Amino acid sequence: MPAKKKVRTLHADLAEVLLTEAQIHRRVKSLAREIKEVYGDGELTIISLINGAVMFTADLMRQIDNPVRLDCIRVSSYGGKTKSIGTPQVIYNLTLDIAHRDVLIIDDILDTGKTLQLVGQLVRKLKPASLRTCVLLDKKARREVDLEADFVGFEIPDKFVVGYGLDFNERYRNLPGIGVLRPEKQTVGDWAKG
Ligand code: IMP
Ligand code: MG
């Protein structure tokens, strides 16, 4: 069946498909239930790390029926190619007032942990009532700082992945599933992370 073939391949530049659109959708739904158990019916202020967390944030938010405020922050580092190196820097900052609010930071993937650590430090200075973190993917093997997310969609192996918001050189964000990029496709020069 043509539809099945499409799911298996997703894109010719992928060596393997790690998560299909359906698997992601199911997990996003159950993550929303976990989040709801913690927050009850209270209002949430979501801080989404763009661009990578755009798809995940949009899907997760729509599974949560609490009152929600949304803000975005963009952090960049690099540096390198498919490895996070260097110190992340804020290139687009928050605009909402988050003092005394219950804040949930959402990112696509927790890798070394430097990005979430930086954003966590910035947000804590703004005195939220509470602060938690939610990531779709967790590459535990790569952690360089002492940080775990409160909500994790999937733990994945130490492989460079793209799709569902995750990019290489700003490409592949629009793939509906997530897959491992072929090594020979990971060689383009200057790419910015976000
Ligand atoms: P960290 O600061 O090392 O935790 O990096 C987190 C950021 O690096 C994520 O928000 C992503 O933008 C990017 N990143 C880390 N691993 C991958 C990957 O496998 N594919 C695409 N982007 C990644
Ligand atoms: Mg990112």
Side-chain angles (χ1 to χ4, degrees), residues 49 52 77-78 82 84-85 88 107-116 139 142 156 159-162 166-168 173 191 193-194:
L49 273 106
S77 73
Y78 286 68
T82 55
S84 333
I85 50 167
D107 202 3
D108 50 2
I109 184 167
L110 184 52
D111 188 32
T112 65
K114 289 180 186 173
T115 304
L116 264 194
K139 266 192 216 172
R142 298 243 320 135
I156 62 161
K159 291 180 176 175
F160 191 80
V161 293
V162 294
L166 293 128
D167 74 306
F168 174 72
R173 292 196 198 274
W191 69 289
K193 137 176 145 165

Side-chain angles (χ1 to χ4, degrees), residues 23-94:
Q23 285 172 312
I24 296 169
H25 181 67
R26 273 197 300 275
R27 184 65 187 117
V28 168
K29 272 178 126 167
S30 62
L31 263 180
R33 283 196 293 272
E34 289 174 30
I35 290 169
K36 183 89 182 168
E37 272 173 32
V38 171
Y39 288 98
D41 294 327
E43 184 181 80
L44 277 179
T45 297
I46 287 175
I47 296 178
S48 176
L49 273 106
I50 54 173
N51 294 332
V54 162
M55 317 268 173
F56 179 40
T57 304
D59 287 346
L60 187 64
M61 277 180 75
R62 285 179 292 177
Q63 297 296 331
I64 297 174
D65 58 5
N66 301 46
V68 165
R69 300 158 83 229
L70 173 67
D71 206 349
C72 296
I73 187 166
R74 188 162 191 189
V75 171
S76 140
S77 73
Y78 286 68
K81 292 175 179 171
T82 55
K83 300 284 180 193
S84 333
I85 50 167
T87 311
Q89 281 177 358
V90 175
I91 52 175
Y92 173 84
N93 214 335
L94 301 171

Side-chain angles (χ1 to χ4, degrees), residues 73 75 90 93-94 98 117-127:
I73 187 166
V75 171
V90 175
N93 214 335
L94 301 171
I98 57 176
Q117 187 184 50
L118 172 79
V119 175
Q121 285 164 352
L122 291 174
V123 171
R124 243 174 251 113
K125 283 189 195 150
L126 302 171
K127 308 279 184 220

